[in-house]
Amino acid sequence: MGAQRLAVLFLAAGYGTRLQKDISTDFSGAYLHLLGLCKALLPLAGKPLLEHWLHQLSNDGSTPNSLIVCNDSNYSQFESWSATLFGSEAGRLFLNEKVFNDGSISNESRLGSCVDMARAVKHFNLLPNPINGGVSSDSKDLLVIAGDTLFLKDFNVHEFIRNAQKLNGDCIVISTVISDELTKKSGILEIVEEDVDGEIQCRVVKLLEKPGPKATKSRLGCPAFYYLKPNAIRLLDEYVAIYEKQGLEFVDACGKFIAWLAERSIVYAIPTSGRLDIGGLSSYIEADSYMTNNE
């Protein structure tokens, strides 16, 4: 499957409340220029986080269709960014065709990442066509990437995509080994090893959302970076139809969907060495330093 059969969706509709609070209360005042800026557009080594992904996705000569879901509060930021990156006319075209505004105006009115994924899928016409109890062969795969996440320099996104496409699973996720302390801030995978065509693969049997170190022996964190094949995209629509009206707690973290999916479908995990996850100001400073020193 080539790049033309894959779409990439960046989740950038969050409000980054912890980071905004940290910036506001930072006595140095050195980061006030970042106040209100969407995490996906935070500068890392002098370049917006999102552009690091766009570069990685295009550096093998084949660029998948890259799409963004944002909120109404940061939509104008993407308008300015796209005009700067692509030029006025091309930027306006990119904004109109590649950026979906979910309409929320505050953290209190946020839709939740599961709803954002599902609505973006429909907006960009990525929902697979049903046929004979399955989905049509021309349906696209979808790589979902959180707008506050990058991986360490040894990660190769094209290698991940190739491996994900070869695996006979509906969803392929990333696993990273994390500390006891970080289990309370992460989705945690519980896996079993399976022999798949002579190779050992890690099948996800459970995803626990921020369980704490005593709730599981696993220390495999699962960042919001998911390769969804057409059946998983179909099931995302089903999940949101069931749970959206039951409350934000069911749709706020996209790991909730992956946990549900793993109970009724095949989900595999591919390991990587680590990630940069921008939560508060200290993690942003660490990420900027890492990217600056590893350019």
Side-chain angles (χ1 to χ4, degrees):
M1 180 183 293
Q4 70 276 9
R5 295 291 304 279
L6 173 67
V8 179
L9 177 65
F10 293 98
L11 303 179
Y15 286 86
T17 52
R18 180 152 51 104
L19 176 62
Q20 298 306 310
K21 181 180 178 181
D22 286 355
I23 292 172
S24 298
T25 57
D26 175 52
F27 291 119
S28 75
Y31 300 96
L32 284 174
H33 61 292
L34 302 179
L35 197 61
L37 188 61
C38 173
K39 285 185 181 180
L41 297 178
L42 287 170
L44 295 174
K47 183 165 63 177
L49 186 157
L50 182 58
E51 289 183 34
H52 288 281
W53 275 119
L54 295 179
H55 174 73
Q56 290 183 44
L57 288 163
S58 63
N59 68 7
D60 78 336
S62 59
T63 306
N65 186 22
S66 296
L67 311 165
I68 300 165
V69 55
C70 69
N71 59 52
D72 193 59
S73 293
N74 63 29
Y75 181 78
S76 61
Q77 296 178 23
F78 286 97
E79 184 176 21
S80 300
W81 166 78
S82 59
T84 300
L85 183 63
F86 302 112
S88 179
E89 290 300 321
R92 187 158 40 246
L93 185 65
F94 180 91
L95 190 74
N96 291 337
E97 294 186 356
K98 309 291 187 181
V99 180
F100 170 56
N101 179 351
D102 77 356
S104 72
I105 59 173
S106 67
N107 187 57
E108 291 70 30
S109 67
R110 70 190 186 278
L111 305 184
S113 56
C114 295
V115 176
D116 278 322
M117 284 193 293
R119 293 193 182 183
V121 161
K122 290 182 177 178
H123 176 81
F124 293 117
N125 197 29
L126 298 172
L127 197 63
N129 297 316
I131 183 170
N132 297 329
V135 295
S136 63
S137 59
D138 62 350
S139 300
K140 286 191 175 185
D141 293 354
L142 179 65
L143 178 59
V144 178
I145 304 177
D148 60 359
T149 296
L150 282 172
F151 294 113
L152 302 186
K153 284 295 184 175
D154 59 348
F155 178 76
N156 185 313
V157 68
H158 295 287
E159 182 179 348
F160 170 84
I161 290 169
R162 288 191 294 269
N163 289 333
Q165 290 173 347
K166 288 189 295 185
L167 283 169
N168 186 29
D170 288 326
C171 174
I172 317 299
V173 302
I174 285 285
S175 67
T176 61
V177 176
I178 63 173
S179 66
D180 288 359
E181 179 183 341
L182 288 178
T183 60
K184 294 180 289 186
K185 301 178 181 180
S186 309
I188 302 297
L189 299 171
E190 293 187 348
I191 63 168
V192 294
E193 292 186 344
E194 291 185 347
D195 187 318
V196 180
D197 298 326
E199 295 185 13
I200 299 300
Q201 302 293 347
C202 299
R203 179 167 177 176
V204 177
V205 294
K206 189 178 290 187
L207 189 152
L208 305 172
E209 192 64 34
K210 302 178 181 179
K214 294 183 179 180
T216 177
K217 293 180 180 179
S218 175
R219 295 297 180 265
L220 295 179
C222 182
F225 184 92
Y226 315 129
Y227 192 101
L228 304 179
K229 296 186 181 180
N231 192 49
I233 299 171
R234 178 187 66 81
L235 288 169
L236 169 64
D237 190 57
E238 180 180 321
Y239 177 84
V240 170
I242 295 170
Y243 289 103
E244 182 178 8
K245 293 181 180 179
Q246 295 190 29
L248 186 62
E249 64 179 296
F250 294 97
V251 295
D252 198 21
C254 41
K256 295 277 189 177
F257 165 63
I258 302 300
W260 179 87
L261 183 66
E263 294 177 351
R264 46 192 45 78
S265 185
I266 299 175
V267 178
Y268 287 114
I270 295 176
T272 193
S273 63
R275 64 161 169 158
L276 305 172
D277 177 29
I278 299 174
L281 181 58
S282 62
S283 57
Y284 166 71
I285 294 171
E286 290 172 6
D288 185 41
S289 175
Y290 176 86
M291 294 301 293
T292 299
N293 293 327
N294 288 276
E295 276 290 282

